[in-house]
Amino acid sequence: MRKKIIILYSFSLLCLIFALFLCFRVYKIRRPYPTMKVNTSHGEVIVDNHKIYCANISDKPIINLAEPVYLATSGDVTSHSGEELILAVGDSGRDKKKYFVCVAIEEGKGKVVAKSPADIYNPWKFIIADTNLDGKLDLACGVKKEAPLHPVFCKRMFFFGIDEEKQKFYPIFLFSRLSSRLEDFTFADVNGDGKDEVIALLWKTAQERCILCYRWIGNGLEVISESLDIHGNKIDADKNNIILEYESIPKEEFFQSLKLIP
């Protein structure tokens, strides 16, 4: 009798542990990331983990992805009408399964038009820009990985395009590194030529950071300007401003502080 009771208690304990494990997995899948809002030509799109809503279309999800989204942006990167959503889907952790996904919105529904594995890239930032100045918008992606010519796990900047026929992402240019170790980057027209340049926040030394601006030259980037030291860890741009971690600076004022290199 005593042996049966021990077996019963042991079985109950195992069932409880298994139930707790399932609850943890469900919570992790359903609630790992905060809700994101993305402005698109279709209206404001809300990304709630694995579900995507568009208030202008319906109060129901326009698409339900199998895994949660942890990065999202939008841009007209395919021949489909309007802007598409570019997403990083899966687990943001290192060496975890993740994907690049492009979702087009057609007839009130979301449709996956391109999908590629992103495990080896570990994406941490998305910007839609004409990266190689061919007149088409591409994906500038911040990644965390080693490179053949620089075997250190750190932040890098890669450019990707979308092959609509094969329904997948393809690399345009994969930078091993810039002038020094990358911390963050954005795109803006620095020299007034109507073309966006890369504005990169780099580590000048182990304690100091600076900003360098690069332009595309057909087979890579070249430096066109450099700045004084910067103390923040993040940089971004909107229509009128350069946004640093602690302040927002009008573009004209920011560009005047750069030392242009002929």
Side-chain angles (χ1 to χ4, degrees), residues 60-200:
K60 296 180 180 180
I62 59 173
I63 190 169
N64 193 340
L65 300 171
E67 297 176 272
V69 177
Y70 71 92
L71 275 179
T73 189
S74 65
D76 190 2
V77 293
T78 75
S79 61
H80 294 265
S81 61
E83 294 181 340
E84 293 76 40
L85 291 168
I86 307 295
L87 313 169
V89 176
D91 192 319
S92 64
R94 183 178 180 180
D95 300 326
K96 300 293 185 179
K97 183 178 288 186
K98 50 187 81 72
Y99 298 92
F100 294 125
V101 177
C102 178
V103 174
I105 300 175
E106 294 182 341
E107 299 179 356
K109 295 183 178 180
K111 176 184 177 183
V112 175
V113 296
K115 183 177 181 180
S116 294
D119 308 51
I120 64 171
Y121 298 115
N122 294 298
W124 56 270
K125 184 169 187 174
F126 283 167
I127 294 181
I128 302 298
D130 183 4
T131 60
N132 59 352
L133 305 183
D134 64 352
K136 298 178 182 178
L137 293 178
D138 314 302
L139 173 65
C141 179
V143 305
K144 287 183 180 179
K145 70 182 302 293
E146 298 88 353
L149 300 178
H150 185 229
V152 177
F153 187 82
C154 64
K155 291 181 177 180
R156 307 182 193 278
M157 181 179 63
F158 287 0
F159 296 163
F160 294 94
I162 293 177
D163 187 325
E164 294 186 58
E165 184 177 344
K166 295 181 179 179
Q167 298 184 342
K168 68 177 185 179
F169 290 74
Y170 66 89
I172 294 174
F173 207 94
L174 311 180
F175 296 93
S176 290
R177 58 180 297 170
L178 299 178
S179 304
S180 57
R181 185 160 61 91
L182 177 69
E183 179 62 30
D184 200 2
F185 69 94
T186 190
F187 281 75
D189 183 5
V190 176
N191 54 9
D193 63 355
K195 301 173 184 178
D196 282 348
E197 287 78 39
V198 176
I199 304 177

